[in-house]
Amino acid sequence: MTRVLVVEDDAQLARALMINLKARTYEVAAAHDAATALRLAATEPPDVILLDLGLPDMDGIDLIRALSGWNRAPVLVLSARSGSEDKIRALDVGADDYMTKPFSMDELLARLRAATRRLEESSARAGTGGAGSLVTTDDFTVDLVAKKVRRGDRDIRLTPTEWHLLEILICDPGVLVSQQRLLKEVWGPSHSTKTNYLRVYMAQLRRKLEADPSHPRHLITEPGMGYRFEA
Ligand code: CA
């Protein structure tokens, strides 16, 4: 059973989350402040953490920072703050996903499934050495171990930079990856503002992989924020 830690000081929303999650057979623990969240994360390690940024005793960003390093569970931020700066800060300190309030319960459950699927896939990979290395979409298939991409019956050649970008996005399906993180990981920390690089390389990847590059279905742009891979 998947254990979810809900960190939310809004009692009504916390209760709604607990009812919905329990109805889908998740095991749920709730913390109404950061101190309780830290204690529960340490004593009853959850599989996923849903975290509100506006907490009474600590800023949620600082809580994510306090969790990083020892907490293994993906952190999904639920926030009333819709500014892209807050989203980027949360993603940069280690959040895995970000949803702006108000959100639909269906979308939350879908993101939660995506987060736990990644967890299962990474533990399956660790356990069997290679299982789960194949990522398949309607338009192309990526073999993460062999480092090969196939579209229909032909191999697609990617440059090392294109491959690196694709790999980062594909390893976190459904999750927004910030421009800064992509630039830092692919080009290095000194290039973290060169968003034009990303536009150029993402356009190339789309030309190679998408059926209709001008209406991408798999390599999605979140304007001003980053990119998301959807299988
Ligand atoms: Ca709050």
Side-chain angles (χ1 to χ4, degrees):
M1 196 184 275
T2 305
R3 296 163 63 91
V4 184
L5 174 58
V6 174
V7 187
E8 171 61 75
D9 61 325
D10 176 338
Q12 211 178 334
L13 178 56
R15 201 172 59 239
L17 287 169
M18 291 192 70
I19 290 168
N20 274 280
L21 292 172
K22 282 181 177 166
R24 272 113 185 147
T25 72
Y26 287 98
E27 192 182 320
V28 192
H32 58 279
D33 57 31
T36 313
L38 284 167
R39 184 170 50 76
L40 287 176
T43 54
E44 302 165 34
D47 297 307
V48 189
I49 300 176
L50 299 182
L51 191 156
D52 172 34
L53 287 188
L55 295 168
D57 56 340
M58 189 191 277
D59 188 273
I61 298 279
D62 294 327
L63 176 56
I64 299 171
R65 222 178 257 129
L67 285 163
S68 71
W70 57 274
N71 160 60
R72 308 277 303 155
V75 175
L76 207 169
V77 171
L78 310 173
S79 179
R81 304 176 193 169
S82 60
S84 59
E85 213 167 285
D86 282 308
K87 292 189 191 177
I88 289 163
R89 276 176 68 218
L91 295 170
D92 277 350
V93 297
D96 292 81
D97 204 354
Y98 194 108
M99 293 185 70
T100 304
K101 294 177 188 174
F103 50 83
S104 80
M105 204 52 79
D106 284 343
E107 189 184 359
L108 172 73
L109 290 165
R111 302 270 190 107
L112 202 58
R113 281 194 299 275
T116 52
R117 201 161 51 231
R118 279 195 300 283
L119 207 66
E120 282 159 16
E121 279 164 6
S122 63
S123 55
R125 263 202 299 281
T128 59
S133 70
L134 224 52
V135 177
T136 306
T137 73
D138 295 345
D139 297 311
F140 57 90
T141 301
V142 181
D143 187 328
L144 289 166
V145 171
K147 300 210 168 200
K148 282 195 164 163
V149 184
R150 279 184 79 78
R151 215 181 129 188
D153 54 0
R154 60 194 187 95
D155 286 324
I156 302 290
R157 283 175 55 82
L158 297 184
T159 66
T161 303
E162 289 166 354
W163 174 262
H164 200 165
L165 275 175
L166 182 67
E167 195 177 33
I168 294 170
L169 292 170
I170 273 188
C171 287
D172 264 343
V175 170
L176 167 65
V177 182
S178 72
Q179 294 174 341
Q180 277 78 359
R181 187 184 145 200
L182 288 168
L183 287 165
K184 262 187 228 160
E185 288 193 24
V186 177
W187 283 277
S190 61
H191 291 77
S192 61
T193 57
K194 305 272 177 57
T195 51
N196 55 321
Y197 287 20
L198 285 176
R199 275 195 294 277
V200 170
Y201 276 89
M202 290 304 292
Q204 277 174 210
L205 272 176
R206 287 184 182 128
R207 270 198 298 279
K208 291 183 178 183
L209 301 179
E210 295 274 0
D212 180 358
S214 53
H215 297 94
R217 293 176 51 220
H218 308 290
L219 301 167
I220 313 294
T221 303
E222 300 260 356
M225 312 248 311
Y227 298 87
R228 186 191 290 275
F229 167 73
E230 297 286 353

